[in-house]
Amino acid sequence: MNIFGIGVVFSGGRGINRYDDALRHGWIKPEDSCYHVKEESITDKRILGGIRRADRFSKMAVLAASDAVVDSGINLNKKKSSLGIIVSTAFGPHVTTFRFLDDMLEYGDRNASPTLFSHSVHNAAASYITSVLDSRGPTITLTQFEFSFHQALILARAWLYEERCEYVLVGSVDECGTVMEYICRQKLRIAGDGRIKPFDFSKTPVAVPGEGSVFFLTTLKKSHKKYCKVAVSLNDKEIEKNRPDMLILDADGIAGDEKEYQKAAESGVCISGYSPIFGSMMTGTSFNCTAAALMLKKQIHYACPISHNPYNINICRKTEPAQIQGINCIRYNCGREKAMIRLKQ
């Protein structure tokens, strides 16, 4: 399955070129206790003009999805039925859900906002994407804590191989509202200096919550303009069989104990982790995969944004040209189950 286009909305801005700049520049301390997406990044009237009532969750998803289509250079006007859309999320539009519940408590069941209710549905963002792109293909939203993006890629591959679609727009979106920030402060160890430390391998790692959206336009077609190929694996042995040029660790402090990552880091392969660029998210794998896709396309290594390395592992220290054939992105959930996404030329 090939990645033809990428769209991204994160705390540093919007667009794949802006994300490339952020990776080259390195770590910047978040302005507050969370890597929030700035309002000016989600105010594109040209795209959002017809969905003015959409919430931040849907706007981030719509902009990232639209940008992925533009980045691919593919004209989908004559292929409205050949585009599938898969949205993955860990928590859905929980900010809107809590606003709707507040309405019910304050004004009663009959006077709660119907607009808030419709936006509290997890599939609202996917529906908005379908509307803006005028897509007529299959659409679905997948919700799972750590591996929702992995499951979305697996489903996208199935749709393509079954010839249900010619193209599949697959991505992730998650929002960090005040309730989520409160929960993170109560349940996680928040980094006082704003630094996520992916190579600390601590049983009680530090986290800094984040939010944003990433979408890939995928297809089985071939083109020299593509970023890379992408596949998902849950098989440990395949990692050993296909030794990558780099491992990206999804260690960001949000899933608790990160000692399991140390085993992968001791393999001797060049190690990296870019969560300090976008924050701690259950769906952060999609952002690390975007970094991997850029490195494969541009044939460059991005230096680790945080060089804290107490175990002296082989981390990527410099942003420099490199010959890269394959990169594995590894994530563990709270139960120490592993999922891997492999990207290769």
Side-chain angles (χ1 to χ4, degrees), residues 134-189:
D134 197 19
S135 171
R136 312 292 170 79
T139 301
I140 194 171
T141 299
L142 302 181
T143 303
Q144 190 188 34
F145 285 148
E146 279 96 349
F147 299 151
S148 60
F149 183 65
H150 302 73
Q151 298 293 347
L153 287 175
I154 291 171
L155 182 59
R157 183 179 183 278
W159 282 3
L160 291 171
Y161 275 91
E162 289 172 355
E163 299 183 351
R164 287 172 179 253
C165 312
E166 197 172 343
Y167 302 95
V168 177
L169 200 50
V170 54
S172 74
V173 57
D174 265 308
E175 185 178 7
C176 186
T178 54
V179 175
M180 186 59 66
E181 285 187 69
Y182 172 78
I183 293 171
C184 288
R185 286 197 300 271
Q186 297 300 310
K187 296 294 184 182
L188 303 176
R189 192 158 71 96

Side-chain angles (χ1 to χ4, degrees), residues 283-300:
T283 51
T285 300
S286 59
F287 288 86
N288 275 324
C289 284
T290 301
L294 278 169
M295 286 191 282
L296 285 164
K297 183 174 183 179
K298 295 177 178 290
Q299 289 295 287
I300 186 175

Side-chain angles (χ1 to χ4, degrees), residues 232-251:
V232 181
S233 171
L234 303 178
N235 189 336
D236 285 356
K237 293 181 180 178
E238 191 166 326
I239 296 175
E240 298 170 4
K241 181 181 177 182
N242 300 312
R243 184 180 173 87
D245 298 305
M246 173 183 279
L247 286 177
I248 298 180
L249 308 182
D250 285 336

Side-chain angles (χ1 to χ4, degrees), residues 320-336:
E320 59 186 359
Q323 292 185 340
I324 315 171
Q325 296 295 319
I327 299 175
N328 291 350
C329 296
I330 296 176
R331 187 172 195 91
Y332 288 92
N333 66 8
C334 300
R336 299 185 180 182

